[in-house]
Amino acid sequence: MTAVREIRLKSRPTGRPTLDNFELAAVELADPRPGEVQVKNLWMTVDPYMRGRMNDAKSYAAPFQLGQAMEGGAVGEVVASNDPALKPGDLVQSMFGWREGFNAPAGAVQKLDPRGLPVQAFLGAAGMPGLTAYAGLLRVAGLKDGDVVFASGAAGAVGSMVCQIAKARGHRVIGSAGGPEKVAFLKEIGVDHAIDYKAEPDLARAVLAGAPDGIDVYFDNVGGPHLEAALTAARMFGRFAICGMISIYNAAEPQPGPRNLALMIGKNLRLQGYIVSHHWDLMPDFIRDLSGWVAEGKVTWRETVFEGIEKAPEAFLGLFEGENLGKMLVKLA
Amino acid sequence: MTAVREIRLKSRPTGRPTLDNFELAAVELADPRPGEVQVKNLWMTVDPYMRGRMNDAKSYAAPFQLGQAMEGGAVGEVVASNDPALKPGDLVQSMFGWREGFNAPAGAVQKLDPRGLPVQAFLGAAGMPGLTAYAGLLRVAGLKDGDVVFASGAAGAVGSMVCQIAKARGHRVIGSAGGPEKVAFLKEIGVDHAIDYKAEPDLARAVLAGAPDGIDVYFDNVGGPHLEAALTAARMFGRFAICGMISIYNAAEPQPGPRNLALMIGKNLRLQGYIVSHHWDLMPDFIRDLSGWVAEGKVTWRETVFEGIEKAPEAFLGLFEGENLGKMLVKLA
């Protein structure tokens, strides 16, 4: 028997979650049964989409269950195996995050070849957030030569990849993030025009200052006033990849949409919502391109790391306070 | 010299236009100069997009100028010609509406072959509104077999064509319009589930009553609560053709967008704004298909006709009161 700890959903939040919505619990893991492996998690991720799973509402991902461990991406190491497919020491990815360890059927985890990258990159730049950026720009927004790109949430796990992928492909990039530290980071990663939205009374004007002829592609991580500014700043035939609306995830009441949505008619704009899970087929292309960009020094990333499973709720709540620079991660071992 | 009357823009409206914004003026037409024709207009059209041109704001169509005749689609008959391309008696289409007659270069009007249809049909079902419906459904929304279609403004010039084209292609169609007379018309033209939105407290529920598994395509003529209902009722990978938002055209203050826009992420929805002028290339296909559908009795249309140039402002204002069933037209001769 192995003692591990996990984070469970204690109560469902109304509006912004608090630490009271989570509880830390200890569990004993038996030896893996035939066909199972036992994994010690090394890293777990916290992501904005998990907020939706805390509600008891039908959505694209099933709700977390009260009193049960939460779920999410994790990378770990096999410590015991009762299946020939995996052996102790193998690195694996899984959706069994929010826990220090677990038993699971060998088929429920994916063996990981780190290709020289730090394993936690597969929770960020080389994982779901990176693919989200890649698929959103290239397929959803149909990025094409000469497009001027605007990204909100540009210092985050997805946004910073959007900016760097667009730069690596030769585009002019306008990025928005909150606060001087993030703006400095945007400049470090090559963003041409970095906006501190917290210091900016007129977002549309700020975008147009960086893109006097307007933008062609908007990558939306936040919704709200940023989406409104992008509609104003968009050029004819602009394409918006609508990836997230973190500005409204915690709203207890429905929030009004952009007041200038009708601009999409005259400008022939396309707004396309998407979930990365419908674009897994792009993963091999993405990893191939990413390896090249990393080797050329064109793509890098930052991490904000909390240590210990007990800090996971705090790390998650930090997402909604704009605390993280780059990928928010929890180091478990 | 020929005396004709025209409607000029007297003042720019704030919010909903009134009769005071227009003035009727008399002008004398000289004989056409070399290369010109003189046309007597038979019919003119009034359309919602003209509201935008009454503002002094950059948009996809240039603003109307104060003190000058307004513009819009018209069909007329050549009464005098000083160009070999056209002769008296020829029928022509032009953008010189809002006037009883005009002189223009022969190249600024298009000769019309009515193909057995009443000439005014080329201002409606066989003209811009019809092509708007055709391009919006087939190209913008990418209509495909099995799609369930929802249209707002379904009894209007564009909406009634949307419904009939979708029915002619074998789709289930939900249509929304205001009042029992329009709902009766929707049933006449084959709409499977007709909604009187004025009598319906919960539009999303009303749509889902007609499409229990949700809708795949939404054709938006009105924006506002209809767009919100469509977002709620949409199935995964739904496609919205955003053609008009008449519900907000007269708003003096910006109106909030849909409160549930974030649904587009999880459902992977595509909202595509468009202007028909970017889809003229579809006109030959459209006229070919339309001729077939009319011959098979699958497509018909209604007209609301005002008589006399002096009634044109009234006809136009009626668009915003939901008075018209089918195409709103002004008969000039």
Side-chain angles (χ1 to χ4, degrees):
Chain A
M1 301 286 270
T2 306
V4 296
R5 294 175 300 164
E6 63 186 26
I7 300 288
R8 295 176 179 169
L9 181 64
K10 186 176 175 190
S11 58
R12 299 195 186 278
T14 303
R16 185 179 283 226
T18 64
L19 291 175
D20 291 340
N21 299 127
F22 304 87
E23 71 182 334
L24 182 66
V27 292
E28 294 281 337
L29 296 180
D31 291 336
R33 290 176 296 186
E36 284 190 342
V37 290
Q38 187 167 109
V39 175
K40 180 174 77 170
N41 274 335
L42 303 174
W43 295 85
M44 62 166 273
T45 175
V46 291
D47 297 287
Y49 81 90
M50 295 169 173
R51 173 64 186 83
R53 298 190 67 185
M54 298 181 78
N55 296 335
D56 189 18
K58 192 180 160 200
S59 181
Y60 57 91
F64 294 131
Q65 296 303 304
L66 284 174
Q68 296 190 17
M70 294 175 66
E71 292 171 359
V75 291
E77 183 184 330
V78 174
V79 289
S81 178
N82 203 340
D83 188 276
L86 291 165
K87 61 180 193 302
D90 282 348
L91 293 170
V92 293
Q93 271 190 286
S94 78
M95 283 303 288
F96 296 104
W98 296 86
R99 59 201 95 191
E100 292 177 313
F102 61 89
N103 290 344
V109 303
Q110 292 81 45
K111 195 169 170 180
L112 183 65
D113 169 9
R115 300 183 195 80
L117 296 171
V119 290
Q120 71 273 24
F122 291 87
L123 299 176
M128 191 186 72
L131 182 65
T132 301
Y134 185 85
L137 269 182
L138 273 58
R139 179 179 282 167
V140 178
L143 189 68
K144 58 182 200 297
D145 288 351
D147 280 345
V148 174
V149 176
F150 170 44
S152 58
V158 174
S160 62
M161 289 298 289
V162 169
C163 293
Q164 294 180 92
I165 293 171
K167 285 306 301 175
R169 293 177 63 100
H171 294 269
R172 178 166 178 81
V173 175
I174 292 92
S176 170
E181 191 191 4
K182 290 184 180 177
V183 163
F185 172 61
L186 294 187
K187 290 176 179 166
E188 266 179 54
I189 62 172
V191 167
D192 298 292
H193 182 76
I195 297 167
D196 177 0
Y197 74 85
K198 290 183 177 172
E200 192 51 68
D202 183 340
L203 257 177
R205 203 182 56 179
V207 175
L208 287 166
D213 296 327
I215 59 169
D216 302 290
V217 165
Y218 171 52
F219 192 101
D220 193 16
N221 281 304
V222 304
H226 276 89
L227 178 54
E228 206 164 276
L231 286 160
T232 296
R235 267 207 281 239
M236 290 286 283
F237 304 106
R239 288 139 281 131
F240 291 13
I242 309 291
C243 173
M245 295 195 177
I246 200 170
S247 70
I248 62 170
Y249 286 179
N250 287 323
E253 291 296 315
Q255 298 296 297
R259 292 165 298 177
N260 56 355
L261 191 61
L263 288 175
M264 69 184 292
I265 301 171
K267 294 185 182 183
N268 296 259
L269 303 181
R270 183 177 82 200
L271 278 63
Q272 171 80 61
Y274 77 108
I275 293 295
V276 67
S277 52
H278 299 293
H279 302 279
W280 290 132
D281 61 297
L282 287 177
M283 189 58 106
D285 287 352
F286 167 56
I287 294 296
R288 184 202 60 217
D289 286 348
L290 181 68
S291 308
W293 292 326
V294 171
E296 296 164 20
K298 288 182 173 170
V299 171
T300 181
W301 55 86
R302 292 276 192 94
E303 294 165 356
T304 297
V305 177
F306 285 67
E307 302 228 7
I309 184 78
E310 68 278 11
K311 294 286 190 186
E314 204 177 310
F316 177 68
L317 299 184
L319 292 173
F320 302 100
E321 280 154 30
E323 285 181 0
N324 55 309
L325 192 56
K327 184 70 193 91
M328 187 80 98
L329 293 167
V330 184
K331 189 172 192 305
L332 298 177
Chain B
M1 301 287 271
T2 306
V4 296
R5 295 176 300 164
E6 63 186 29
I7 300 287
R8 296 175 178 168
L9 181 63
K10 186 176 174 188
S11 58
R12 299 195 188 279
T14 304
R16 186 181 284 226
T18 65
L19 292 175
D20 292 340
N21 299 126
F22 305 86
E23 72 183 332
L24 183 66
V27 293
E28 294 282 334
L29 296 181
D31 290 337
R33 290 176 296 186
E36 284 190 342
V37 290
Q38 187 167 110
V39 175
K40 179 174 78 170
N41 274 335
L42 303 173
W43 295 86
M44 62 166 274
T45 174
V46 290
D47 296 288
Y49 81 89
M50 294 170 174
R51 174 63 186 84
R53 298 189 66 185
M54 298 181 79
N55 295 335
D56 189 18
K58 192 180 160 200
S59 180
Y60 57 91
F64 293 131
Q65 296 302 304
L66 285 174
Q68 296 189 15
M70 294 177 64
E71 292 171 0
V75 290
E77 183 184 330
V78 174
V79 289
S81 178
N82 203 340
D83 188 277
L86 292 165
K87 60 179 193 304
D90 282 347
L91 293 170
V92 293
Q93 271 191 285
S94 78
M95 284 303 288
F96 298 102
W98 296 87
R99 59 200 95 191
E100 292 177 313
F102 61 91
N103 289 345
V109 303
Q110 293 80 45
K111 194 168 168 179
L112 181 66
D113 169 9
R115 301 182 195 83
L117 296 170
V119 291
Q120 71 273 22
F122 291 86
L123 299 175
M128 190 185 73
L131 182 64
T132 301
Y134 185 85
L137 268 181
L138 273 57
R139 178 180 282 167
V140 178
L143 189 68
K144 58 182 201 297
D145 287 352
D147 280 345
V148 173
V149 176
F150 170 45
S152 58
V158 174
S160 62
M161 288 298 288
V162 169
C163 294
Q164 294 179 92
I165 293 171
K167 285 307 300 175
R169 293 177 62 101
H171 295 268
R172 179 166 177 80
V173 175
I174 293 91
S176 169
E181 191 191 3
K182 290 185 180 176
V183 163
F185 172 60
L186 294 186
K187 290 176 181 167
E188 266 179 55
I189 62 173
V191 167
D192 298 292
H193 182 76
I195 297 167
D196 177 359
Y197 73 85
K198 291 183 176 172
E200 192 51 69
D202 183 339
L203 257 178
R205 203 183 55 178
V207 174
L208 287 166
D213 297 326
I215 60 169
D216 302 290
V217 165
Y218 171 52
F219 193 101
D220 193 16
N221 281 304
V222 305
H226 275 90
L227 178 52
E228 205 164 277
L231 286 160
T232 296
R235 266 207 282 238
M236 290 286 283
F237 303 106
R239 288 140 281 133
F240 291 12
I242 309 292
C243 172
M245 295 196 177
I246 200 169
S247 69
I248 61 169
Y249 286 178
N250 288 322
E253 291 297 315
Q255 297 296 296
R259 293 165 298 178
N260 56 354
L261 192 60
L263 288 175
M264 69 183 293
I265 301 172
K267 294 185 184 183
N268 297 259
L269 303 182
R270 182 177 83 200
L271 277 63
Q272 171 81 60
Y274 77 108
I275 293 295
V276 68
S277 52
H278 300 293
H279 302 279
W280 290 131
D281 60 297
L282 288 176
M283 189 58 104
D285 286 353
F286 168 56
I287 293 296
R288 184 202 59 217
D289 286 348
L290 180 68
S291 308
W293 292 325
V294 171
E296 294 164 21
K298 287 182 173 170
V299 171
T300 181
W301 56 85
R302 292 278 191 93
E303 295 164 355
T304 297
V305 177
F306 284 68
E307 303 228 6
I309 184 78
E310 68 278 10
K311 294 288 189 185
E314 204 178 309
F316 177 67
L317 299 183
L319 291 172
F320 302 100
E321 281 155 26
E323 285 181 358
N324 54 311
L325 191 57
K327 184 71 194 90
M328 186 81 96
L329 293 166
V330 184
K331 191 172 190 305
L332 298 176

